[in-house]
Amino acid sequence: MALNLVLIGPPGSGKGTQSVRIAEKYGIPHISTGDILRAAVRDGTPLGQQVEATLASGGLVGDALMTDLVRARLSAPDLRQGFVLDGFPRTVAQAQALDTIVTPPLVVVLIDAADEEIVRRMGLRRICASCGLTQAVSADPESNGDEPHDPCPYCGGLLVRRQDDEPETVRRRLATYAQYAEPVIAYYRDRPTFGAVDGLRPASEVTALLAALIERRAPR
Ligand code: AP5
Ligand code: MG
């Protein structure tokens, strides 16, 4: 059976980190709406021009645009074995739309993490400008976070800070999450295919918890 998996949770809870691992474990594509939008901004496409200011502000892109984008991506032929969807849905309207796009069962997992840990993690997050891999650099109490770091351990590329990881924008993204997340969680909470994991545990433990939950919710 295909594994149709949605990861929800606050910014910095580890959705991207875990999506990469789960996608590799089950051999299915990782679809991150944030990655798609950032790539569009970087490439200067019409979509990128449309969403650039919203991403920089830490607010949400409109439901209609996001739903069209996800509907198009989920109709691609590479999803026969399923997918990991990361960053969608963020509103109840998006969750309702997703139910009209995907054939059940849809496994939905909330990765939870407290705000203080999120702000700390975002300060240390870097993205490889070449291969796109997300990683954490070590904390230096003397540093303001902008010094050059070692190159990407996987491809030697330059590690850069995500534009929306400035502390002020992180706070706005957390406020946006607080405003929209609870109704989305309530939308899914009573489904037998919903679960939650503690994102404050070390990443490998979170992966193990997630894999165990997936096996229970969608036995393969
Ligand atoms: P998006 O890219 O989805 O950002 P986000 O939800 O804010 O989440 P992040 O990518 O910041 O965090 P993450 O949970 O993936 O954490 P990560 O694994 O990197 O969206 C960006 C923007 O696009 C939005 O603000 C919005 O404008 C727009 N957008 C996107 N989708 C939209 C939609 N559907 N509707 C409307 N607008 C939309 O981990 C973070 C750091 O912690 C990393 O450094 C990592 O190495 C580290 N880490 C991870 N796990 C652990 C662990 N267990 N222990 C210690 N460190 C860890
Ligand atoms: Mg992410």
Side-chain angles (χ1 to χ4, degrees):
M1 193 172 56
L3 171 61
N4 295 336
L5 175 68
V6 168
L7 295 184
I8 57 177
S13 56
K15 301 181 297 293
T17 303
Q18 297 302 329
S19 293
V20 169
R21 295 170 181 215
I22 295 294
E24 192 182 355
K25 179 175 165 65
Y26 292 97
I28 52 180
H30 167 207
I31 302 169
S32 159
T33 48
D35 286 352
I36 293 171
L37 297 175
R38 279 186 292 279
V41 171
R42 189 194 56 221
D43 298 343
T45 66
L47 170 67
Q49 288 167 19
Q50 203 175 336
V51 302
E52 186 167 13
T54 306
L55 261 65
S57 76
L60 289 184
V61 174
D63 286 335
L65 198 163
M66 292 310 302
T67 301
D68 286 351
L69 194 150
V70 167
R71 191 188 303 276
R73 178 62 186 92
L74 290 183
S75 69
D78 61 335
L79 306 179
R80 217 155 288 135
Q81 296 301 314
F83 55 80
V84 186
L85 187 54
D86 156 12
F88 187 100
R90 275 176 146 92
T91 64
V92 171
Q94 292 183 11
Q96 288 167 335
L98 189 60
D99 278 338
T100 70
I101 300 172
V102 176
T103 316
L106 182 68
V107 179
V108 180
V109 183
L110 168 67
I111 306 181
D112 223 348
D115 285 9
E116 319 85 76
E117 169 66 4
I118 287 169
V119 174
R120 193 191 71 82
R121 283 184 188 177
M122 303 304 219
L124 300 175
R125 172 165 65 182
R126 297 296 182 277
I127 313 290
C128 175
S130 302
C131 72
L133 211 86
T134 293
Q135 39 215 298
V137 295
S138 54
D140 174 357
E142 302 290 309
S143 131
N144 67 8
D146 290 332
E147 290 79 4
H149 282 277
D150 290 337
C152 173
Y154 301 96
C155 76
L158 187 67
L159 295 184
V160 296
R161 190 195 274 265
R162 232 170 79 173
Q163 255 180 1
D164 58 356
D165 277 351
E166 299 302 330
E168 189 54 34
T169 316
V170 170
R171 275 190 285 277
R172 283 203 296 271
R173 286 161 59 205
L174 285 169
T176 303
Y177 180 79
Q179 186 180 348
Y180 291 100
E182 206 43 59
V184 175
I185 295 167
Y187 183 81
Y188 289 121
R189 201 191 317 263
D190 293 333
R191 295 189 186 186
T193 50
F194 176 80
V197 295
D198 178 5
L200 293 178
R201 306 258 196 118
S204 55
E205 281 183 33
V206 179
T207 310
L209 287 169
L210 248 174
L213 206 149
I214 290 166
E215 300 301 333
R216 285 200 303 275
R217 297 292 190 272
R220 293 160 64 76

